[in-house]
C-alpha cells in the first residue's frame, strides 16, 4: 500500500512537472502567454489586472477572466467582472457578459466584506436585464450602502418596465433616515404611481429646514428627486417653484440637472426657455457651454446649437468652445450630414491652428496652450479620419507647430492611425515616407519609450502590408529594447501581445529568443 501511495505521488509530481514545462514552452510562443506565465510565477512581476485588461481588449475574454482570477483580491475581482460585464452588455455581447455575471455572483455570495454600491447598481442592471430578478433584489444585503442600493435596484426594475418588482423593493427602503434618500423614496413612489403615498410624504417633508441645514451642503441630492416627484405627479408649477426657491442659480451644473428633469418628463418648451436663460450668463456659458449646446441638439434646435458653439468665444484658445464644436460635429457625423460636419470641423481647425504651442515642465494636460492645442487638433483629426478625409487630417497633423516632445507624441499617434487607415490604398512610397518620419521623430536624447512606441506602431504597418516576417522581426527588437528599458518592460510586453494577436502574427526564432530573455530575466 505504501509503495502504491509513493508511486501515485511520483506520478502526480511528474504530471505537474510536465505541465510546468508545457506552460514554459508555450510562454515562448507569444507575448501574452509569456506575460501570463510571468504572472503565475511572481505575484510582483506583472500586474494581473493590467494583463486581464489587455486580454479583454483583444477579445480573449476567457483568458482575461483567468488572469484576473490569479489575484486573490475578491473585492477587486468583483469590481472587474461587473465593469467588464457591463462593457460587454453595452456592446451587445450578452453571452460573454452573462458568463462574467455568473463568475461574479459566487464571489459576492461568499464575500466577507461590503461591496461597492455603484458596482452593485451596475450588476443589478445586468441581473434585471437577464431576468434574474430575485438575485437583483438580494443585492442590498451585500452593499456598503443598503438603502441606496435598494433605491437603485427599484429604479432598474422601473426602467425595465417591471413596476411590480420595483414596488416589492419599497419596504426595504421605506425606513431610511438620510434626507437625500427620503427625497428619492418620494420620487420613486411618484414614478410608481403611488400617488397618495407620494403626496403624503411630500406633505411631511420640510425642504427649507433640511436644505438650509449647515451640515448638509449638497442640496441637489434633495431638490432634484423632489422636482422629479412633482413632475411625475403632473405638478409642473410646483416643480418650478421648488427650483426657483431653493435652486443654486449660479450653479450651471444644477441648472442643467433641472433642465434634464424637465426633458425627462417631456416638458420640452419649459426646458428651452431655461436654456435660453442660462446661455446669457457668461459664467455658466464658460463652464457649461458644451452641455448647453448638447441640450439644444436634444431639443432639435440644430441651427441654434451650431451658432452658439461658434459664437460662445472669440478666442482661438477656448477649451469649452472646442468641446462644443466637437459635440455639434459628432451630431452631424452621426446623422450622415458630412457637409455640415466638415464645415464645423474646419471652423474648429481655423481656431486651433492659430494657438501658439507653449508648455512648461510639470504642467498637467490642459494647463498649457501646448497641451490644449494637442487636444483640439487630435479631436479634429480623429473625426476627419472617421470621415475618410485623410488629406485634411494630414494637414491638421502638420499644423502642430512645435518640436516639443508632447507635440511629437501627437504626431506619432495621429500619423500612425492615419497610415493604418490607408494601408491598403496609400502608395507604397508614401507609406515608406511615413515610416521613415516615424522612425526619426525621437532621438537618443528623448525618453526611450517614445522610440519603442514608434517601432511598435511600425510593426502594425508592416503587418497590414502583409510583411509579417518583417513585422515579427521588428516586434522581437521592440521586446528586447523594452526589456532593457528602465521601467516600461511590462507595458510593452502587453502592448506587443495586443499587436501580435490583432495582426495574427506567428512566432519566429527571434521572437522566441526575445520572450525567453523575459522569462529568464
Amino acid at each position: 500500500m505504501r509503495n502504491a501511495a509513493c508511486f501515485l505521488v511520483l506520478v502526480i509530481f511528474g504530471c505537474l512537472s510536465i505541465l510546468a514545462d508545457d506552460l514554459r514552452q508555450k510562454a515562448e510562443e507569444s507575448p501574452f502567454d509569456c506575460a501570463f506565465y510571468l504572472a503565475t510565477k511572481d505575484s510582483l512581476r506583472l500586474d494581473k489586472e493590467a494583463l486581464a485588461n489587455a486580454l479583454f481588449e483583444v477579445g480573449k475574454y476567457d483568458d482575461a477572466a483567468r488572469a484576473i482570477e490569479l489575484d486573490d483580491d475578491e473585492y477587486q475581482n468583483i469590481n472587474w467582472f461587473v465593469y467588464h460585464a457591463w462593457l460587454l452588455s453595452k456592446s451587445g455581447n450578452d453571452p460573454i457578459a452573462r458568463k462574467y455575471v455568473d463568475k461574479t455572483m459566487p464571489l459576492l455570495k461568499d464575500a466577507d466584506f461590503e461591496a461597492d454600491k455603484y458596482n452593485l447598481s451596475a450588476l443589478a442592471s445586468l441581473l434585471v436585464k437577464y431576468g434574474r430578478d430575485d438575485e437583483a433584489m438580494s443585492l442590498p444585503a451585500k452593499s456598503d450602502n443598503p438603502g441606496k442600493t435598494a433605491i437603485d435596484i427599484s429604479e432598474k426594475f422601473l426602467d425595465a418596465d417591471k413596476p411590480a418588482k420595483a414596488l416589492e423593493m419599497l419596504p426595504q427602503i421605506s425606513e431610511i433616515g438620510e434626507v437625500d434618500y427620503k427625497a428619492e423614496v418620494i420620487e420613486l413612489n411618484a414614478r410608481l404611481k403611488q400617488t397618495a403615498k407620494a403626496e403624503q410624504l411630500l406633505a411631511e417633508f420640510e425642504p427649507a429646514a433640511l436644505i438650509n441645514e449647515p451640515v448638509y451642503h449638497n442640496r441637489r441630492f434633495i431638490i432634484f428627486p423632489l422636482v422629479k416627484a412633482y413632475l411625475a405627479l403632473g405638478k409642473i408649477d410646483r416643480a418650478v417653484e421648488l427650483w426657483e426657491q431653493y435652486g443654486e442659480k449660479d450653479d450651471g451644473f444644477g441648472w442643467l440637472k433641472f433642465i434634464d428633469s424637465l426633458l425627462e418628463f417631456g416638458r420640452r418648451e419649459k426646458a428651452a426657455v431655461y436654456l435660453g436663460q442660462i446661455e446669457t450668463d457668461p459664467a455658466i456659458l464658460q463652464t457649461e457651454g458644451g452641455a448647453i449646446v448638447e441640450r439644444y441638439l436634444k431639443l432639435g434646435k440644430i441651427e441654434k446649437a451650431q451658432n452658439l458653439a461658434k459664437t460662445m468665444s472669440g478666442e482661438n484658445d477656448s477649451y469649452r468652445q472646442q468641446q462644443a464644436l466637437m459635440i455639434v460635429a459628432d451630431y452631424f457625423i452621426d446623422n450622415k450630414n458630412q457637409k455640415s460636419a466638415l464645415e464645423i470641423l474646419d471652423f474648429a481647425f481655423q481656431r486651433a491652428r492659430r494657438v501658439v504651442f507653449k508648455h512648461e515642465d510639470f504642467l498637467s494636460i490642459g494647463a498649457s496652450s501646448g497641451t490644449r492645442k494637442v487636444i483640439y487638433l487630435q479631436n479634429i483629426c480623429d473625426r476627419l479620419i472617421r470621415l475618410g478625409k485623410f488629406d485634411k487630417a494630414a494637414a491638421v497633423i502638420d499644423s502642430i507647430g512645435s518640436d516639443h516632445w508632447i507635440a511629437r507624441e501627437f504626431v506619432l499617434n495621429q500619423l500612425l492611425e492615419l497610415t493604418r487607415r490607408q494601408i491598403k490604398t496609400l502608395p507604397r512610397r508614401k507609406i515608406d515616407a511615413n515610416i521613415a518620419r516615424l522612425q526619426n521623430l525621437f532621438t537618443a536624447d528623448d525618453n526611450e519609450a517614445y522610440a519603442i512606441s514608434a517601432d511598435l506602431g511600425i510593426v502594425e504597418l508592416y503587418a497590414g502590408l502583409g510583411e509579417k516576417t518583417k513585422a515579427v522581426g521588428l516586434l522581437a527588437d521592440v521586446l528586447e529594447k523594452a526589456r532593457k528599458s528602465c521601467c516600461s518592460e511590462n507595458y510593452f510586453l502587453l502592448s506587443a501581445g495586443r499587436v501580435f494577436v490583432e495582426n495574427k502574427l506567428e512566432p519566429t526564432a527571434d521572437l522566441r529568443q526575445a520572450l525567453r530573455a523575459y522569462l529568464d530575466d
Side-chain angles (χ1 to χ4, degrees), residues 33-324:
D33 287 324
C34 178
F36 206 100
Y37 182 84
L38 291 173
T40 63
K41 289 299 178 183
D42 184 349
S43 61
L44 300 178
R45 175 68 188 274
L46 195 139
D47 183 84
K48 298 173 182 64
E49 185 173 2
L51 172 59
N53 290 341
L55 290 163
F56 182 89
E57 287 174 10
V58 297
K60 288 184 165 289
Y61 302 123
D62 290 340
D63 289 342
R66 286 173 52 227
I68 203 64
E69 287 171 339
L70 292 173
D71 202 318
D72 57 6
D73 185 342
E74 291 185 351
Y75 186 88
Q76 172 187 283
N77 293 355
I78 289 171
N79 293 349
W80 191 92
F81 277 122
V82 170
Y83 175 66
H84 288 83
W86 178 82
L87 289 178
L88 288 163
S89 178
K90 186 178 179 182
S91 66
N93 193 344
D94 284 306
I96 303 298
R98 289 174 186 270
K99 285 186 178 182
Y100 278 16
V101 171
D102 288 341
K103 287 182 174 291
T104 303
M105 297 310 292
L107 291 173
L108 193 60
K109 181 180 179 181
D110 297 336
D112 58 359
F113 52 80
E114 295 176 334
D116 178 77
K117 61 180 179 290
Y118 298 110
N119 279 304
L120 290 183
S121 178
L123 177 59
S125 67
L126 294 170
L127 291 171
V128 171
K129 179 179 182 180
Y130 301 144
R132 299 166 66 167
D133 297 347
D134 291 343
E135 289 173 282
M137 295 177 74
S138 72
L139 294 181
K142 287 292 185 178
S143 175
D144 59 5
N145 193 325
K148 177 60 176 171
T149 300
I151 289 171
D152 286 348
I153 294 169
S154 185
E155 290 174 346
K156 304 297 183 191
F157 281 128
L158 188 57
D159 293 341
D161 197 24
K162 297 180 177 181
K165 289 291 183 182
L167 283 169
E168 284 185 48
M169 295 298 299
L170 285 180
Q172 294 191 47
I173 53 181
S174 61
E175 300 301 323
I176 296 171
E178 290 86 346
V179 100
D180 49 322
Y181 296 162
K182 283 185 177 178
E184 288 192 62
V185 170
I186 294 172
E187 179 196 349
L188 200 50
N189 274 280
R191 291 180 64 193
L192 285 166
K193 303 189 187 313
Q194 304 299 298
T195 305
K197 182 64 174 178
E199 290 180 341
Q200 174 198 334
L201 293 172
L202 281 168
E204 296 170 355
F205 206 74
E206 298 179 10
L210 292 165
I211 289 172
N212 293 325
E213 275 287 334
V215 296
Y216 195 85
H217 59 278
N218 205 345
R219 64 180 64 185
R220 65 175 60 129
F221 286 107
I222 301 174
I223 289 180
F224 294 111
L226 297 181
V227 164
K228 288 194 279 188
Y230 281 119
L231 289 170
L233 293 169
K235 298 184 177 183
I236 176 67
D237 292 340
R238 182 66 187 111
V240 170
E241 180 185 350
L242 187 68
W243 167 253
E244 293 286 358
Q245 189 172 0
Y246 298 113
E248 296 175 279
K249 306 304 184 299
D250 58 347
D251 178 15
F253 181 78
W255 269 110
L256 289 167
K257 281 186 70 69
F258 176 60
I259 290 167
D260 286 343
S261 298
L262 293 172
L263 288 172
E264 181 181 348
F265 288 91
R267 304 291 181 169
R268 295 169 63 86
E269 291 185 7
K270 278 280 187 185
V273 169
Y274 284 112
L275 274 176
Q277 182 177 326
I278 64 173
E279 76 164 84
T280 62
D281 185 322
I284 292 179
L285 192 61
Q286 171 65 24
T287 59
E288 305 293 347
I292 295 172
V293 164
E294 192 171 23
R295 270 58 173 191
Y296 273 128
L297 291 173
K298 284 183 179 180
L299 286 167
K301 297 182 179 295
I302 314 306
E303 187 175 350
K304 176 67 176 176
Q306 187 172 1
N307 290 339
L308 181 60
K310 286 182 174 181
T311 59
M312 68 171 58
S313 173
E315 301 293 326
N316 292 323
D317 186 3
S318 170
Y319 183 88
R320 294 300 176 191
Q321 181 177 46
Q322 285 285 333
Q323 180 187 47

Side-chain angles (χ1 to χ4, degrees), residues 479-515:
L479 288 170
E480 183 64 18
K481 292 175 184 175
R483 186 178 62 82
K484 295 177 180 178
S485 67
C486 69
C487 51
S488 302
E489 63 273 20
N490 289 337
Y491 168 79
F492 282 112
L493 179 62
L494 297 179
S495 297
R498 177 189 61 79
V499 171
F500 189 85
V501 169
E502 289 182 342
N503 292 280
K504 298 180 173 60
L505 301 179
E506 296 292 337
T508 62
D510 288 342
L511 182 67
R512 291 188 182 98
Q513 182 177 343
L515 293 173

Side-chain angles (χ1 to χ4, degrees), residues 391-432:
D391 290 342
K392 289 181 182 292
V396 171
I397 295 170
D398 291 338
S399 72
I400 189 64
S402 173
D403 252 350
H404 193 283
W405 66 264
I406 290 176
R408 285 180 286 142
E409 183 183 25
F410 160 77
V411 173
L412 167 64
N413 294 331
Q414 298 305 123
L415 185 59
L416 272 172
E417 181 60 19
L418 182 63
T419 309
R420 190 183 296 118
R421 288 289 297 270
Q422 301 177 87
I423 199 69
K424 300 299 184 185
T425 58
L426 205 60
R428 182 57 191 258
R429 60 179 176 76
K430 181 62 176 173
I431 293 174
D432 289 341

